[in-house]
Amino acid sequence: MAKHRIAVVPGDGIGPEVIDAGVRVLETLREREPDLAFEFQRFDWGTDYYKRTGRMMPEDGCEQLRRFDAIYFGAVGAPDVPDHITLWGLRLAICQGFDQYANVRPSRLLPGIRGPLRDCPPDKLDWVIVRENSEGEYAGAGGRVHRGLPEEVGLDISVFTRSGVKRIMRFAFGLARSRPRKLLTMVTKSNAQRHGMVMWDDIFAEVKPEFPDVTTDKMLVDAMTTRMVLKPETIDVVVATNLHADVLSDLAAALSGSMGIAPTSNLNPEGVFPSMFEPIHGSAFDITGKGIANPIGAFWTASMMLEHRGETAAAKRLMAAIERVTGDAKVVPPDLGGKATTKQVTDAVCDAIRGAND
Ligand code: IPM
Ligand code: MG
C-alpha cells in the first residue's frame, strides 16, 4: 500500500481553517478507501513565522519539502506585512524552487451553484485555465533606481523563454487532448506587446502539428474576458501567461459561483520535484477566525491532489461528495449566499463521503 507523504503548509489568514478541514476530509476518505494511506507533516510557515524569525520559511525550506510527494498549501498574505515579501518568501519560493511551471485551474458550475451568468446551464461552463507559472511577468526581473527622487525608475520585466513557452504549450495541448472537446485557446496580447507575446504565437504554431487532434484558436486577453462572459460554452482549455491567466482565473472563479470553491495545482509535470495544491482564494483577513470560510476550494484542491497521485477512485469519491453537498443546497456557506460555517460544510462533506445520505 503506497503511503502518500503530504507536506501541509496552511500559511496565513483562512489558510489553516480550510486546510485543517481538508485534512479531515482526506482522513475521512480513508474510511471508504482502505488502500489509501497518508503521512501528513505540518509546517507552520507564513507571516507569524516571519514575525518571529525574519523569514517566511527556513532557509532550507525547499529541501525539507523535497522528500514529500505533494504539498497541500493554504494561503499567504497578511495585512501588516507587504504582500511581495510574504509571497516571494513562501509561495513563489516553492513554485520557482520546484519548477512548478504548470498551474492548472479548473472551473465548473457545480450542482446547486448558480453563477452570475444568466441563462448559463451547468454543462456550458467547464473550463481549465493553464497558467504559465515559472516566468513571464512573475520572473522577478526588474529593479528600482533613484528611489524617492523625481527621476525614479521602476521596472518589472517579463521574461519569456523558448523552452518555458514550449513546455507550457505542450502541457496545455496534452491536457486539451485528454478532454472530450479537445479544444485549446491560446491567449496573449500580441497586438500591443510585440516581442515575447509574438514569440508565444510563433511557438504555438510550431507545437500545434504535434497534436493534430486538438482544435485550436487564439484570443487577445481583453477579448477573452468578454468571451468568457458572453460565450462560455465555446471555451474548453485555455493557455496563457502567468499574469494574464492570473486575472482570467479570478474571473473564471467568480463566473463559476465564488472564489471560495476554485482549486488549483502547481505542477512539476515531470515529477522531479513535488507539486503543490492550493485553493485559489487568498488569506481573506476580513473573515479570518470567524469560522465561515468556504472549505470547498480546499476540498476540490484535495481531489486534484489525489488525482495527481494516481488515486482516481478516491478523487472521484471526494468530488462526488462535494457535489452532493452543493447539489443538496442545505449547507451553504456565506460566499454562496447561505449561513453555514466551515465546520458545517466539512461535516456535510464527510457525511457524504461516508454515504450517510445514500
Ligand atoms: C493567485 C494569487 C497570487 C498570484 C497572488 C497571491 C500573488 O492571486 O494564486 O492567483 O497572483 O499568483
Ligand atoms: Mg490570482
Side-chain angles (χ1 to χ4, degrees):
M1 184 165 66
K3 211 179 211 179
H4 304 289
R5 290 160 305 173
I6 311 288
V8 179
V9 185
D12 298 335
I14 60 169
E17 299 170 44
V18 297
I19 293 300
D20 288 349
V23 170
R24 229 188 98 202
V25 158
L26 286 167
E27 294 282 12
T28 305
L29 265 179
R30 295 182 50 214
E31 296 171 18
R32 297 298 300 269
E33 305 279 342
D35 286 341
L36 196 60
F38 301 109
E39 175 198 314
F40 293 111
Q41 188 174 330
R42 195 182 159 101
F43 295 86
D44 287 320
W45 300 340
T47 303
D48 287 345
Y49 185 90
Y50 172 82
K51 287 179 183 162
R52 290 198 310 270
T53 66
R55 302 185 59 96
M56 290 294 288
M57 67 173 175
E59 203 166 350
D60 67 346
C62 279
E63 276 157 58
Q64 292 190 41
L65 296 177
R66 181 82 202 250
R67 71 174 191 90
F68 290 88
D69 297 315
I71 303 159
Y72 191 36
F73 190 90
V76 68
D80 49 354
V81 178
D83 282 341
H84 64 273
I85 292 180
T86 54
L87 188 73
W88 280 94
L90 189 59
R91 183 174 170 275
L92 289 180
I94 298 171
C95 287
Q96 303 220 341
F98 286 157
D99 201 19
Q100 295 166 344
Y101 65 85
N103 183 272
V104 180
R105 302 189 157 189
S107 309
R108 266 194 302 126
L109 272 173
L110 298 183
I113 296 183
R114 280 185 65 89
L117 294 181
R118 266 180 297 132
D119 312 324
C120 184
D123 57 333
K124 293 269 158 89
L125 197 162
D126 183 0
W127 307 332
V128 183
I129 296 181
V130 175
R131 169 177 180 186
E132 200 298 314
N133 210 35
S134 67
E135 53 176 38
E137 307 86 346
Y138 283 55
R144 268 173 83 175
V145 287
H146 310 308
R147 274 187 190 242
L149 300 178
E151 55 273 29
E152 180 169 1
V153 178
L155 294 172
D156 276 297
I157 301 169
S158 300
V159 177
F160 299 105
T161 64
R162 171 164 279 275
S163 56
V165 177
K166 203 164 201 170
R167 67 185 184 173
I168 199 65
M169 297 281 180
R170 287 202 170 119
F171 179 87
F173 269 103
L175 182 69
R177 168 178 273 175
S178 74
R179 288 167 54 91
R181 289 190 291 158
K182 302 189 194 321
L183 170 64
L184 176 63
T185 303
M186 193 216 24
V187 171
T188 64
K189 187 67 188 168
S190 60
N191 56 347
Q193 296 183 292
R194 58 203 171 121
H195 307 297
M197 293 284 74
V198 177
M199 187 175 84
W200 267 63
D201 286 342
D202 291 347
I203 295 174
F204 186 63
E206 285 168 31
V207 172
K208 184 175 152 62
E210 295 173 24
F211 299 85
D213 50 336
V214 175
T215 310
T216 62
D217 61 2
K218 293 197 306 193
M219 294 293 287
L220 298 171
V221 65
D222 46 352
M224 190 64 190
T225 59
T226 59
R227 177 163 160 196
M228 287 167 71
V229 174
L230 300 176
K231 292 191 176 151
E233 71 283 0
T234 66
I235 300 166
D236 180 17
V237 178
V238 177
V239 61
T241 71
N242 217 328
L243 182 62
H244 290 166
D246 175 41
V247 176
L248 294 181
S249 58
D250 269 25
L251 176 59
L255 295 177
S256 60
S258 166
M259 289 291 289
I261 57 176
T264 186
S265 53
N266 300 281
L267 301 180
N268 173 253
E270 290 75 26
V272 177
F273 299 103
S275 294
M276 179 159 75
F277 300 80
E278 55 175 341
I280 187 174
H281 63 68
S283 39
F285 344 110
D286 50 330
I287 57 163
T288 298
K290 296 188 176 159
I292 55 165
N294 185 348
I296 290 178
F299 299 162
W300 190 347
T301 295
S303 173
M304 286 182 91
M305 182 164 74
L306 290 168
E307 186 85 55
H308 176 76
R309 294 295 306 150
E311 297 288 357
T312 312
K316 286 209 171 88
R317 187 184 288 283
L318 174 50
M319 219 45 225
I322 294 169
E323 294 186 21
R324 163 83 62 93
V325 171
T326 59
D328 280 353
K330 290 190 197 123
V331 185
V332 181
D335 59 311
L336 291 170
K339 290 202 165 68
T341 61
T342 310
K343 181 167 185 310
Q344 286 167 330
V345 178
T346 309
D347 288 345
V349 171
C350 289
D351 284 349
I353 290 170
R354 293 192 185 102
N357 307 321
D358 282 350

mmCIF file of all heavy atoms in Angstrom, residues 256-280:
data_model
loop_
_atom_site.group_PDB
_atom_site.id
_atom_site.type_symbol
_atom_site.label_atom_id
_atom_site.label_comp_id
_atom_site.label_asym_id
_atom_site.label_seq_id
_atom_site.Cartn_x
_atom_site.Cartn_y
_atom_site.Cartn_z
ATOM 1 N N SER A 256 -18.009 31.017 -12.022
ATOM 2 C CA SER A 256 -18.493 29.686 -11.649
ATOM 3 C C SER A 256 -19.073 29.704 -10.234
ATOM 4 O O SER A 256 -19.303 28.656 -9.653
ATOM 5 C CB SER A 256 -17.400 28.644 -11.806
ATOM 6 O OG SER A 256 -16.316 28.956 -10.981
ATOM 7 N N GLY A 257 -19.297 30.850 -9.682
ATOM 8 C CA GLY A 257 -20.050 30.917 -8.425
ATOM 9 C C GLY A 257 -19.358 31.676 -7.318
ATOM 10 O O GLY A 257 -19.944 32.506 -6.667
ATOM 11 N N SER A 258 -18.058 31.376 -7.083
ATOM 12 C CA SER A 258 -17.377 32.045 -5.983
ATOM 13 C C SER A 258 -15.890 31.721 -6.011
ATOM 14 O O SER A 258 -15.500 30.611 -6.386
ATOM 15 C CB SER A 258 -17.955 31.561 -4.653
ATOM 16 O OG SER A 258 -17.114 31.930 -3.587
ATOM 17 N N MET A 259 -15.094 32.664 -5.534
ATOM 18 C CA MET A 259 -13.674 32.388 -5.340
ATOM 19 C C MET A 259 -13.474 31.263 -4.319
ATOM 20 O O MET A 259 -12.430 30.626 -4.285
ATOM 21 C CB MET A 259 -12.966 33.635 -4.795
ATOM 22 C CG MET A 259 -12.803 34.772 -5.759
ATOM 23 S SD MET A 259 -11.630 34.384 -7.056
ATOM 24 C CE MET A 259 -10.085 34.400 -6.123
ATOM 25 N N GLY A 260 -14.482 31.066 -3.491
ATOM 26 C CA GLY A 260 -14.358 30.102 -2.390
ATOM 27 C C GLY A 260 -14.345 28.650 -2.827
ATOM 28 O O GLY A 260 -14.032 27.772 -2.028
ATOM 29 N N ILE A 261 -14.708 28.378 -4.080
ATOM 30 C CA ILE A 261 -14.753 26.967 -4.488
ATOM 31 C C ILE A 261 -13.615 26.567 -5.424
ATOM 32 O O ILE A 261 -13.423 25.398 -5.694
ATOM 33 C CB ILE A 261 -16.093 26.608 -5.168
ATOM 34 C CG1 ILE A 261 -16.345 27.501 -6.385
ATOM 35 C CG2 ILE A 261 -17.235 26.697 -4.192
ATOM 36 C CD1 ILE A 261 -17.594 27.105 -7.136
ATOM 37 N N ALA A 262 -12.876 27.541 -5.938
ATOM 38 C CA ALA A 262 -11.945 27.238 -7.031
ATOM 39 C C ALA A 262 -10.639 26.614 -6.523
ATOM 40 O O ALA A 262 -10.044 27.096 -5.566
ATOM 41 C CB ALA A 262 -11.654 28.508 -7.811
ATOM 42 N N PRO A 263 -10.201 25.550 -7.176
ATOM 43 C CA PRO A 263 -8.951 24.884 -6.796
ATOM 44 C C PRO A 263 -7.817 25.197 -7.775
ATOM 45 O O PRO A 263 -8.059 25.691 -8.874
ATOM 46 C CB PRO A 263 -9.315 23.417 -6.958
ATOM 47 C CG PRO A 263 -10.191 23.427 -8.175
ATOM 48 C CD PRO A 263 -10.925 24.761 -8.193
ATOM 49 N N THR A 264 -6.620 24.863 -7.380
ATOM 50 C CA THR A 264 -5.514 24.998 -8.330
ATOM 51 C C THR A 264 -4.389 24.030 -7.983
ATOM 52 O O THR A 264 -4.221 23.635 -6.835
ATOM 53 C CB THR A 264 -4.995 26.456 -8.369
ATOM 54 O OG1 THR A 264 -4.034 26.571 -9.389
ATOM 55 C CG2 THR A 264 -4.384 26.886 -7.082
ATOM 56 N N SER A 265 -3.655 23.648 -9.023
ATOM 57 C CA SER A 265 -2.454 22.856 -8.759
ATOM 58 C C SER A 265 -1.266 23.509 -9.442
ATOM 59 O O SER A 265 -1.388 24.043 -10.540
ATOM 60 C CB SER A 265 -2.628 21.418 -9.247
ATOM 61 O OG SER A 265 -3.019 21.388 -10.590
ATOM 62 N N ASN A 266 -0.158 23.489 -8.743
ATOM 63 C CA ASN A 266 1.114 23.976 -9.283
ATOM 64 C C ASN A 266 1.950 22.736 -9.562
ATOM 65 O O ASN A 266 2.472 22.123 -8.636
ATOM 66 C CB ASN A 266 1.831 24.844 -8.251
ATOM 67 C CG ASN A 266 1.016 26.057 -7.850
ATOM 68 O OD1 ASN A 266 0.952 27.050 -8.554
ATOM 69 N ND2 ASN A 266 0.360 25.972 -6.698
ATOM 70 N N LEU A 267 2.033 22.378 -10.831
ATOM 71 C CA LEU A 267 2.623 21.082 -11.158
ATOM 72 C C LEU A 267 4.046 21.182 -11.684
ATOM 73 O O LEU A 267 4.361 22.063 -12.486
ATOM 74 C CB LEU A 267 1.780 20.381 -12.232
ATOM 75 C CG LEU A 267 0.315 20.113 -11.903
ATOM 76 C CD1 LEU A 267 -0.353 19.416 -13.089
ATOM 77 C CD2 LEU A 267 0.179 19.276 -10.641
ATOM 78 N N ASN A 268 4.847 20.248 -11.211
ATOM 79 C CA ASN A 268 6.103 19.957 -11.879
ATOM 80 C C ASN A 268 5.820 18.650 -12.627
ATOM 81 O O ASN A 268 5.941 17.562 -12.057
ATOM 82 C CB ASN A 268 7.244 19.789 -10.865
ATOM 83 C CG ASN A 268 8.520 19.321 -11.518
ATOM 84 O OD1 ASN A 268 8.929 18.177 -11.373
ATOM 85 N ND2 ASN A 268 9.158 20.184 -12.257
ATOM 86 N N PRO A 269 5.345 18.764 -13.874
ATOM 87 C CA PRO A 269 4.770 17.591 -14.539
ATOM 88 C C PRO A 269 5.715 16.401 -14.647
ATOM 89 O O PRO A 269 5.272 15.262 -14.676
ATOM 90 C CB PRO A 269 4.395 18.118 -15.933
ATOM 91 C CG PRO A 269 4.247 19.590 -15.764
ATOM 92 C CD PRO A 269 5.257 19.973 -14.708
ATOM 93 N N GLU A 270 7.001 16.652 -14.694
ATOM 94 C CA GLU A 270 7.947 15.544 -14.833
ATOM 95 C C GLU A 270 8.149 14.799 -13.512
ATOM 96 O O GLU A 270 8.776 13.741 -13.482
ATOM 97 C CB GLU A 270 9.307 16.062 -15.327
ATOM 98 C CG GLU A 270 9.299 16.543 -16.776
ATOM 99 C CD GLU A 270 8.612 17.903 -16.936
ATOM 100 O OE1 GLU A 270 8.591 18.687 -15.953
ATOM 101 O OE2 GLU A 270 8.082 18.186 -18.028
ATOM 102 N N GLY A 271 7.655 15.380 -12.416
ATOM 103 C CA GLY A 271 7.767 14.701 -11.118
ATOM 104 C C GLY A 271 9.172 14.719 -10.540
ATOM 105 O O GLY A 271 9.490 13.938 -9.655
ATOM 106 N N VAL A 272 10.014 15.618 -11.026
ATOM 107 C CA VAL A 272 11.357 15.744 -10.452
ATOM 108 C C VAL A 272 11.244 16.327 -9.040
ATOM 109 O O VAL A 272 11.980 15.972 -8.125
ATOM 110 C CB VAL A 272 12.238 16.650 -11.336
ATOM 111 C CG1 VAL A 272 13.609 16.857 -10.713
ATOM 112 C CG2 VAL A 272 12.358 16.076 -12.744
ATOM 113 N N PHE A 273 10.292 17.244 -8.879
ATOM 114 C CA PHE A 273 10.035 17.881 -7.589
ATOM 115 C C PHE A 273 8.568 17.641 -7.214
ATOM 116 O O PHE A 273 7.739 17.370 -8.089
ATOM 117 C CB PHE A 273 10.254 19.398 -7.693
ATOM 118 C CG PHE A 273 11.646 19.792 -8.082
ATOM 119 C CD1 PHE A 273 11.923 20.200 -9.374
ATOM 120 C CD2 PHE A 273 12.680 19.749 -7.153
ATOM 121 C CE1 PHE A 273 13.215 20.569 -9.740
ATOM 122 C CE2 PHE A 273 13.969 20.114 -7.511
ATOM 123 C CZ PHE A 273 14.237 20.526 -8.812
ATOM 124 N N PRO A 274 8.241 17.805 -5.916
ATOM 125 C CA PRO A 274 6.828 17.682 -5.554
ATOM 126 C C PRO A 274 5.994 18.810 -6.158
ATOM 127 O O PRO A 274 6.487 19.922 -6.347
ATOM 128 C CB PRO A 274 6.832 17.772 -4.023
ATOM 129 C CG PRO A 274 8.180 18.228 -3.613
ATOM 130 C CD PRO A 274 9.121 18.011 -4.750
ATOM 131 N N SER A 275 4.747 18.512 -6.436
ATOM 132 C CA SER A 275 3.813 19.530 -6.909
ATOM 133 C C SER A 275 3.038 20.073 -5.712
ATOM 134 O O SER A 275 2.995 19.449 -4.652
ATOM 135 C CB SER A 275 2.859 18.923 -7.937
ATOM 136 O OG SER A 275 3.588 18.544 -9.093
ATOM 137 N N MET A 276 2.436 21.247 -5.910
ATOM 138 C CA MET A 276 1.755 21.911 -4.783
ATOM 139 C C MET A 276 0.299 22.209 -5.160
ATOM 140 O O MET A 276 0.012 22.662 -6.265
ATOM 141 C CB MET A 276 2.489 23.203 -4.443
ATOM 142 C CG MET A 276 1.865 23.995 -3.318
ATOM 143 S SD MET A 276 3.044 25.122 -2.568
ATOM 144 C CE MET A 276 3.132 26.408 -3.809
ATOM 145 N N PHE A 277 -0.595 21.994 -4.194
ATOM 146 C CA PHE A 277 -2.031 22.108 -4.439
ATOM 147 C C PHE A 277 -2.610 23.113 -3.459
ATOM 148 O O PHE A 277 -2.357 23.027 -2.250
ATOM 149 C CB PHE A 277 -2.669 20.724 -4.267
ATOM 150 C CG PHE A 277 -2.080 19.740 -5.243
ATOM 151 C CD1 PHE A 277 -0.852 19.132 -4.990
ATOM 152 C CD2 PHE A 277 -2.691 19.489 -6.457
ATOM 153 C CE1 PHE A 277 -0.267 18.275 -5.911
ATOM 154 C CE2 PHE A 277 -2.114 18.636 -7.395
ATOM 155 C CZ PHE A 277 -0.899 18.033 -7.111
ATOM 156 N N GLU A 278 -3.403 24.064 -3.950
ATOM 157 C CA GLU A 278 -3.907 25.131 -3.073
ATOM 158 C C GLU A 278 -5.240 25.651 -3.591
ATOM 159 O O GLU A 278 -5.460 25.706 -4.797
ATOM 160 C CB GLU A 278 -2.904 26.303 -3.035
ATOM 161 C CG GLU A 278 -2.598 26.816 -4.419
ATOM 162 C CD GLU A 278 -1.714 28.061 -4.489
ATOM 163 O OE1 GLU A 278 -1.583 28.777 -3.498
ATOM 164 O OE2 GLU A 278 -1.183 28.306 -5.576
ATOM 165 N N PRO A 279 -6.123 26.045 -2.684
ATOM 166 C CA PRO A 279 -7.315 26.744 -3.149
ATOM 167 C C PRO A 279 -6.901 28.085 -3.753
ATOM 168 O O PRO A 279 -5.903 28.675 -3.334
ATOM 169 C CB PRO A 279 -8.141 26.935 -1.879
ATOM 170 C CG PRO A 279 -7.178 26.785 -0.743
ATOM 171 C CD PRO A 279 -6.058 25.919 -1.230
ATOM 172 N N ILE A 280 -7.650 28.559 -4.702
ATOM 173 C CA ILE A 280 -7.234 29.776 -5.420
ATOM 174 C C ILE A 280 -7.450 31.033 -4.571
ATOM 175 O O ILE A 280 -6.749 32.025 -4.726
ATOM 176 C CB ILE A 280 -7.978 29.862 -6.780
ATOM 177 C CG1 ILE A 280 -7.468 31.010 -7.642
ATOM 178 C CG2 ILE A 280 -9.431 29.967 -6.633
ATOM 179 C CD1 ILE A 280 -8.092 31.029 -9.034
#
